[in-house]
Amino acid sequence: YIFKLFGSRFEWQIHWLLQKKFIHKKNKSFRCADVTSLLDEKTKFDVVLMVDFLHHIPDEIAKKILKTSSLLADQYIICFEPIKEQKNRIGQLIINNDRGDHIRPLNELHKLFEGTDCEIINSSELKIGPITSRAILAIPKKKMKWHNMSKRLNHMTMSHNHIFYLD
């Protein structure tokens, strides 16, 4: 798991809890790091997790972080972000007064992933109190071929138990 934290109390609590959870596990670890500084290590991570920070970052830097995440993630990139359009008036008030200067509408948030070698495979609404956020599950594009094959394979085995083929 990789975070780039900006010092909010909630994010540091997540860091502390995850570190505590993994501290006694063999072959498991938790790191809090700037993703752009990890490429030199030539290390892969199962999951790159980004929690509520892209809305503090301009598009060009956010795209660089996502591109770097696609190189570091062996399986998934998970991103939680608030969106500009809120259904609840209190949620809209909170978003309008957020310190992040780059809270994006949903379509712009999705566009951030374009050209970054991250392929969104699921984007779901996530309600946090009155705030509507987005939970985005992406995979590195290099994994997309295997993901599509796996989906087709699962569909074939579910619908045609007696047929097994790859094309």
Side-chain angles (χ1 to χ4, degrees), residues 9-162:
R9 184 175 174 200
F10 175 70
E11 290 166 331
W12 283 109
Q13 287 173 338
I14 290 172
H15 174 251
W16 179 81
L17 288 171
L18 287 171
Q19 196 171 28
K20 185 177 176 183
K21 177 181 168 97
F22 289 111
I23 202 158
H24 301 294
K25 305 268 183 181
K26 289 183 180 183
N27 300 324
K28 302 267 184 196
S29 65
F30 170 80
R31 288 182 64 183
C32 174
D34 179 335
V35 294
T36 60
S37 69
L38 294 172
L39 281 178
D40 295 336
E41 293 182 23
K42 307 233 184 297
T43 302
K44 290 281 193 177
F45 299 87
D46 292 335
V47 176
V48 174
L49 175 64
M50 296 177 278
V51 179
D52 289 338
F53 78 89
L54 288 178
H55 67 279
H56 293 275
I57 300 170
D59 287 0
E60 288 308 309
I61 298 170
K63 285 182 177 202
K64 180 180 178 186
I65 290 169
L66 287 168
K67 188 165 187 72
T68 304
S69 297
S70 75
L71 297 171
L72 293 170
D74 197 37
Q75 294 179 30
Y76 298 105
I77 298 109
I78 301 172
C79 180
F80 298 106
E81 276 298 311
I83 56 173
K84 194 168 202 119
E85 316 93 357
Q86 296 291 312
K87 298 174 185 173
N88 182 303
R89 289 190 343 212
I90 296 171
Q92 192 66 59
L93 180 68
I94 292 168
I95 291 300
N96 290 345
N97 290 290
D98 189 277
R99 293 177 296 156
D101 292 332
H102 304 281
I103 298 178
R104 298 163 179 93
L106 180 58
N107 65 331
E108 287 182 25
L109 179 60
H110 286 163
K111 279 184 184 177
L112 266 186
F113 285 78
E114 293 175 9
T116 63
D117 296 329
C118 296
E119 185 75 30
I120 296 174
I121 59 173
N122 192 320
S123 178
S124 302
E125 185 175 277
L126 177 65
K127 297 289 278 179
I128 303 171
I131 299 171
T132 301
S133 285
R134 209 66 188 178
I136 296 175
L137 177 64
I139 59 174
K141 282 193 178 174
K142 63 184 180 277
K143 288 277 199 189
M144 195 62 192
K145 177 179 160 186
W146 297 109
H147 176 73
N148 287 338
M149 190 183 307
S150 174
K151 278 179 26 183
R152 281 188 292 161
L153 193 58
N154 287 339
H155 175 70
M156 286 186 302
T157 51
M158 286 171 32
S159 58
H160 307 290
N161 286 334
H162 61 285

